[in-house]
Amino acid sequence: MRLTTKGRYAVTAMLDLAIHHGGGPITLADIAQRQGISLSYLEQLFARLRKRNLVSSVRGPGGGYTLGREASGIFVAQVIAAVDENVDTTRCGGAHNCQDNQQCLTHDLWQDLSNRIYDYLNQISLQDLMNRSGVQEVAERQENGDARTSVSLGRLKAESAGA
């Protein structure tokens, strides 16, 4: 299986959005800062996520993104598929032409694995991920880290102004 950065970042950004859901629209700049993902890359991903109705955009001041439906109704496999990723572990991409334009000896094995991975990811919702204690700990660390960074930057600016 080859899950690229696109799929990983999409799931990470959607989980961040789900964690911060409820306090109004979330800007991509906020997600980019918390998760260390390029803003322009997030813009590309969210355009695809919006087409699949996984997120909704709110324009204007105070705008940003919200979940397109409840976190319990958005599954990891849907997010990955929305950004044109797949969980195919076959060499041929499921086309049955792995060896000399024909199916290889182990094609069915890898196809079965692909199906199991998809089924697994299609059973995990954003809500399930949010309920994991490790996810909550990381989210808190990211929030507190941002606060410490802001305080540190504020002190540096004050010290620079006084010097």
Side-chain angles (χ1 to χ4, degrees):
M1 177 185 135
R2 188 166 176 262
L3 182 60
T4 67
T5 308
K6 188 178 2 176
R8 292 179 193 274
Y9 282 177
V11 172
T12 299
M14 287 292 289
L15 182 56
D16 184 287
L17 186 63
I19 289 168
H20 296 92
H21 186 70
I26 307 299
T27 67
L28 293 183
D30 288 342
I31 295 172
Q33 181 180 7
R34 280 190 294 266
Q35 302 308 324
I37 302 172
S38 157
L39 179 59
S40 62
Y41 200 64
L42 283 176
E43 289 169 346
Q44 294 171 31
L45 294 176
F46 271 69
R48 293 177 181 195
L49 294 166
R50 191 168 46 85
K51 285 181 184 175
R52 295 284 184 99
N53 297 316
L54 296 176
V55 297
S56 298
S57 61
V58 178
R59 294 181 177 259
Y65 285 89
T66 61
L67 293 177
R69 55 184 174 262
E70 294 297 317
S72 60
I74 299 174
F75 295 87
V76 172
Q78 293 173 318
V79 175
I80 292 170
V83 295
D84 297 328
E85 287 288 300
N86 63 46
V87 290
D88 182 20
T89 58
T90 63
R91 215 168 54 176
C92 63
H96 302 278
N97 60 357
C98 344
Q99 184 179 27
D100 297 327
N101 225 15
Q102 303 221 353
Q103 183 171 312
C104 71
L105 189 61
T106 55
H107 179 87
D108 290 339
L109 169 69
W110 305 125
Q111 187 64 56
D112 289 347
L113 177 61
S114 298
N115 293 339
R116 286 184 184 221
I117 292 169
Y118 177 83
D119 290 344
Y120 172 73
L121 295 176
N122 203 38
Q123 293 175 13
I124 301 172
S125 70
L126 294 178
Q127 185 66 55
D128 294 333
L129 292 175
M130 288 189 327
N131 291 342
R132 294 181 177 186
S133 62
V135 168
Q136 290 301 322
E137 290 170 12
V138 171
E140 288 175 23
R141 177 181 46 88
Q142 289 173 338
E143 286 296 322
N144 292 333
D146 289 344
R148 283 193 298 261
T149 302
S150 297
V151 169
S152 298
L153 289 173
R155 284 187 190 144
L156 285 173
K157 286 179 183 175
E159 290 171 3
S160 298

